[in-house]
Amino acid sequence: MDENESLTVTLTLDNDEELECAVLTIFETEGQEYIALLPLDEEGESGDGDVFLYRFHQTDSDEPSLENIEDDDEYERAADKFDEWLDSLEYEDLEPDEAPDAD
């Protein structure tokens, strides 16, 4: 895969509509893996900025499996970890003279 090419997945929604999503990251918290997906429109652009979080499992056959997060506390833990990941990206994007002082 080209380094500029994004990894995407197609979700089938409850109403059988298919939704193409960019994979933002796969991350782990408390021993469980999660995936963050960004829905894309027909032109392959991100729409309203909503991000979907799912439980992520890689099976023995290398087929990924996604599960809804039903528990509110589990969702909050996953969302907090995703927010930490986003914050780390913003910090990495700062120019050296823009980095906050360590005082």
Side-chain angles (χ1 to χ4, degrees), residues 81-92:
K81 187 71 170 184
F82 177 70
D83 287 343
E84 288 175 20
W85 177 78
L86 282 178
D87 289 345
S88 74
L89 289 181
E90 291 174 9
Y91 185 79
E92 290 171 6

Side-chain angles (χ1 to χ4, degrees), residues 26-42:
I26 297 171
F27 59 96
E28 183 178 326
T29 186
E30 297 187 17
Q32 174 63 56
E33 285 190 309
Y34 298 92
I35 189 168
L37 303 175
L38 180 65
L40 302 173
D41 63 17
E42 295 80 28

Side-chain angles (χ1 to χ4, degrees), residues 57-102:
H57 300 281
Q58 190 76 28
T59 63
D60 293 337
S61 64
D62 288 332
E63 282 295 317
S65 171
L66 306 181
E67 294 177 17
N68 288 328
I69 304 170
E70 304 290 340
D71 181 71
D72 290 343
D73 291 335
E74 179 184 2
Y75 184 85
E76 285 301 317
R77 288 190 303 272
D80 288 347
K81 187 71 170 184
F82 177 70
D83 287 343
E84 288 175 20
W85 177 78
L86 282 178
D87 289 345
S88 74
L89 289 181
E90 291 174 9
Y91 185 79
E92 290 171 6
D93 287 343
L94 290 176
E95 295 293 324
D97 60 338
E98 294 179 48
D101 291 332

Side-chain angles (χ1 to χ4, degrees), residues 6-13 17-23 37-47 52:
S6 296
L7 183 61
T8 61
V9 297
T10 302
L11 295 178
T12 302
L13 305 177
E17 177 185 348
E18 291 189 343
L19 181 63
E20 191 75 15
C21 296
V23 176
L37 303 175
L38 180 65
L40 302 173
D41 63 17
E42 295 80 28
E43 288 82 39
E45 301 293 322
S46 60
F52 298 156

